[in-house]
Amino acid sequence: MTCIGMILAGGLARRMGGGDKPLVEIAGRPILRYVIDRLRPQCRLLAINANGDPARFSAFDLPVVADSVEGFVGPLAGVLAGMDFAAANGAADVLTAPGDTPFLPADLFSRLEAARKRAGARIAVAASHGRTHHAVALWPVALRHDLRRALVEEGERKVSAFIARYPNAVVDWPAEPYDPFFNVNKPEDLACAVAIAKADRRG
């Protein structure tokens, strides 16, 4: 538990009609509560990256960290906020995950860290079902100045493109009985999330 966890909740949720996706409930609990419960045992400290009034997240009793790069430039700004927050709290690494992924694996940090060490990589990224989830990653805080430069001076917006600049390791998780990186993007995803949550409780 040497890393800081940063939950990326700064998206505009256009496909959900706007608002805060992590506050949408599945099976009677906000999506964000699922994310917190999955990450808390894996991280020394958790925080939420979100812009606007932080009071809307007060029920979760976590620090809320806004983007330091203005203009809603995407998840890379949240990664930078995580790196800066981790640096301020004396951590060498930050584990990021979107706030709409309620079923994250319990071995997320341990497997990413092991793969990064094994490959001699700088960044480790999660994957499942043939897809790489670039926002679910373990990042070294030492890259924060590079990331700020990429965002502010170079206009970089793609998480995958920034990751590709450095040696990286991709770690694959099985997608059965459900994809641990399933995210709630559209209203129709809610029914699937509810089914997974109920099955997971029974299991």
Side-chain angles (χ1 to χ4, degrees), residues 43-98:
C43 302
R44 176 162 62 85
L45 178 64
L46 282 182
I48 300 167
N49 163 242
N51 302 296
D53 185 1
R56 66 195 194 276
F57 297 106
S58 60
F60 302 95
D61 196 29
L62 291 178
V64 179
V65 183
D67 294 346
S68 60
V69 178
E70 297 181 355
F72 293 98
V73 297
L76 271 180
V79 174
L80 176 60
M83 289 180 176
D84 288 341
F85 182 79
N89 285 275
D93 295 298
V94 60
L95 178 66
T96 60

Side-chain angles (χ1 to χ4, degrees), residues 10 36 75-76 93 96 103 116 157 172 177:
I36 291 170
L76 271 180
D93 295 298
T96 60
F103 309 115
R116 189 177 64 170
R157 297 294 179 263
D172 192 67

Side-chain angles (χ1 to χ4, degrees), residues 152-166:
V152 176
E153 298 178 18
E154 302 170 24
E156 182 62 78
R157 297 294 179 263
K158 290 188 176 181
V159 181
S160 59
F162 183 76
I163 290 172
R165 299 182 183 199
Y166 305 93

Side-chain angles (χ1 to χ4, degrees), residues 13-25:
R14 292 187 179 95
R15 282 182 284 180
M16 287 288 287
D20 291 299
K21 253 195 304 183
L23 300 182
V24 173
E25 291 192 355

